[in-house]
Amino acid sequence: MTAKIDIGVLVSGSGSNLQSIIDNIEKGRLDARIRIVISNNPEAYALTRCRNHGIEAVVIRQEDHPDRESCDRAMVEVLKGKGVELVVMAGFMRLLSPFFLKAYPMRIMNIHPALLPAFPGLHVQKKAVEYGAKFSGCTVHFADEGVDTGPVIIQAVVPILPDDTEDTLAARILREEHKIYPQAIQWFAEGRIEVRGRQVRIRGVEQPKPVVLFNPPLEER
Ligand code: GRF
């Protein structure tokens, strides 16, 4: 039995990743407690999810602070006040300042809907379809000062199909996001994540199967 880790979740929008974390906790599959959710958007549906599950949430907006760092100081104060050990960015559409990163070194995770380092930044499902990429996916990584550049913890791969639109691809990727984020947090809770430079190792994890995917599929001759 793993001791529960206290997490704080940062959101801006729908919060479906937050929901998958809540569901995994409620099913006893994730040894975490959500001590606080912080949204930078008062309209975020994620806040309704918090109300539905009795989770404390606050809105902290950069517009209400003179600059990004003072906004981040306010967020860190709330998180530390709640005893948060791991910060989980779940669709949080803002870059964190160096002050915030220093307050939680290698203790801030982010999820990104592409196979990093391909397609960092915004609107990446659209970019992957328009590029004509044959695979995309999602990445959980530690946050650093760059845009989607920190050490990678886990990735999932999905094919891009010929008729895909931004929305169909986003939905396919999101289903996998909802699996890999709770897994990464559980590894953290179990103290199994080792970071050396860019290399992240999960202690005691099985080797991945040496599968190769082709898209389009190879044809038998
Ligand atoms: C996800 O695709 C996530 O990877 C990205 O923003 C989206 C947020 O979705 N960073 P949700 O708010 O968790 O539903």
Side-chain angles (χ1 to χ4, degrees):
M1 171 84 193
T2 305
K4 291 194 192 305
I5 186 162
D6 287 328
I7 66 173
V9 185
L10 311 186
V11 295
S12 300
S14 145
S16 70
N17 277 289
L18 168 67
Q19 188 68 53
S20 84
I21 294 166
I22 294 171
D23 293 346
N24 277 276
I25 291 173
E26 289 184 351
K27 287 181 186 139
R29 290 195 207 133
L30 176 50
D31 297 313
R33 284 184 298 230
I34 302 178
R35 299 300 311 276
I36 189 78
V37 170
I38 302 179
S39 175
N40 65 343
N41 169 14
E43 308 293 325
Y45 184 67
L47 295 170
T48 303
R49 298 183 194 271
C50 292
R51 277 192 293 277
N52 292 342
H53 291 268
I55 294 167
E56 195 179 336
V58 288
V59 174
I60 301 181
R61 302 189 319 155
Q62 194 174 319
E63 298 91 300
D64 300 329
H65 294 83
D67 52 38
R68 184 167 68 137
E69 183 168 323
S70 52
C71 179
D72 281 10
R73 281 184 190 277
M75 294 209 299
V76 167
E77 199 174 298
V78 168
L79 293 163
K80 295 273 177 187
K82 292 286 175 189
V84 165
E85 299 161 275
L86 174 70
V87 178
V88 173
M89 294 202 274
F92 184 64
M93 308 307 278
R94 229 199 82 205
L95 264 186
L96 298 175
S97 65
F99 170 82
F100 197 127
L101 294 163
K102 278 194 205 99
Y104 280 99
M106 287 302 151
R107 286 174 169 267
I108 306 170
M109 286 185 188
N110 184 41
I111 188 152
H112 182 74
L115 282 181
L116 293 172
F119 305 113
L122 296 175
H123 312 300
V124 295
Q125 299 93 338
K126 184 166 186 277
K127 285 177 188 161
V129 169
E130 285 175 358
Y131 187 89
K134 300 301 185 203
F135 291 99
S136 189
C138 44
T139 305
V140 176
H141 64 94
F142 285 109
D144 68 6
E145 57 292 332
V147 177
D148 304 317
T149 51
V152 171
I153 301 167
I154 181 172
Q155 296 185 306
V157 180
V158 304
I160 299 179
L161 306 181
D163 295 334
D164 264 335
T165 62
E166 173 182 8
D167 290 344
T168 57
L169 178 61
R172 188 173 309 121
I173 292 172
L174 206 49
R175 278 196 292 279
E176 307 313 316
E177 292 186 40
H178 298 161
K179 298 175 196 163
I180 66 173
Y181 221 174
Q183 172 68 84
I185 298 166
Q186 179 61 21
W187 282 330
F188 193 96
E190 292 171 357
R192 291 169 60 195
I193 302 187
E194 265 173 29
V195 186
R196 292 213 189 106
R198 289 208 53 86
Q199 307 304 315
V200 178
R201 296 266 153 78
I202 313 299
R203 270 193 292 275
V205 87
E206 267 180 43
Q207 290 281 340
K209 294 184 184 69
V211 284
V212 180
L213 301 173
F214 300 93
N215 183 18
L218 297 182
E219 293 183 341
E220 299 285 327
R221 287 184 65 93

